[in-house]
Amino acid sequence: MKFTIGITTFSKRFNYVETLIGQIRSFVDYPIILIINGEKDGTTDDNYLKNILNLCQKYPQIYPTTFLETRGLSKMWNTIVVQSFYDNIMILNDDIEIKSNHVFDASDQIFNNPNFQGICKINSSFSHFLVDKKVIESLNYFDERLLGFGEEDE
């Protein structure tokens, strides 16, 4: 079963996201929704955006969305859910490494498990987790009042 992979990132992390996408593509060809957060000062780094677009063209099925202003993780996660091609979604922060296909095989098993309740943290962390689009929609999405970063891992 295919699922959508959503990744959140921002301009200071190009090397992280470039590495992560390369790792993902070495194992699966699932669609990737790449959410690029804006800068606090509202400026745009044109060189970074050029590099991101080149990265997206290097691999198939990568769909970038850019926010011009800083958004909280909940807003970025909700955008991934709305744009997802499939009901099953793996959401990743850009600062993780995927060194084997095990995470994709395990995710597939979780999504196919009749006891899956719609949200599953991987390694007890919200830096990478699985969601069912229909469940998130029924809950009226993630609370976008959560504006901080890092607190989602608690």
Side-chain angles (χ1 to χ4, degrees):
M1 166 191 302
K2 280 193 169 188
F3 49 86
T4 299
I5 299 170
I7 302 173
T8 61
T9 192
F10 61 100
S11 67
K12 308 294 187 273
R13 308 275 280 256
F14 179 77
N15 291 337
Y16 285 109
V17 77
E18 179 182 39
T19 299
L20 179 59
I21 288 174
Q23 291 169 342
I24 291 168
R25 282 295 177 251
S26 71
F27 300 110
V28 295
D29 64 351
Y30 301 168
I32 296 174
I33 296 172
L34 181 62
I35 304 297
I36 304 146
N37 208 358
E39 300 298 322
K40 288 183 182 180
D41 62 5
T43 62
T44 302
D45 181 341
D46 290 335
N47 191 45
Y48 167 74
L49 291 177
K50 179 180 170 185
N51 289 336
I52 280 290
L53 291 176
N54 286 335
L55 175 65
C56 293
Q57 289 179 345
K58 182 177 176 182
Y59 299 100
Q61 295 193 84
I62 299 181
Y63 307 96
T65 296
T66 302
F67 287 109
L68 298 178
E69 298 175 353
T70 301
R71 303 289 185 211
L73 278 172
S74 295
K75 175 67 174 176
M76 293 190 292
W77 293 341
N78 287 339
T79 302
I80 290 168
V81 170
V82 168
Q83 294 181 359
S84 176
F85 295 89
Y86 301 104
D87 287 339
N88 295 321
I89 307 163
M90 171 189 278
I91 297 179
L92 306 172
N93 288 348
D94 60 5
D95 60 350
I96 65 168
E97 291 185 54
I98 298 178
K99 297 202 174 200
S100 76
N101 197 43
H102 296 303
V103 70
F104 301 110
D105 290 341
S107 297
D108 191 49
Q109 291 176 7
I110 291 167
F111 285 133
N112 285 309
N113 186 322
N115 295 320
F116 176 55
Q117 298 292 312
I119 275 192
C120 178
K121 295 189 292 184
I122 302 172
N123 292 336
S124 303
S125 173
F126 270 108
S127 66
H128 41 294
F129 60 102
L130 308 175
V131 296
D132 179 307
K133 183 176 192 169
K134 291 177 187 171
V135 170
I136 299 303
E137 288 172 344
S138 74
L139 296 171
N140 292 318
Y141 299 92
F142 293 99
D143 187 348
E144 293 183 12
R145 294 175 293 176
L146 172 63
L147 299 176
F149 293 88
E151 298 164 0
E152 78 283 353
D153 291 333
E154 299 295 322

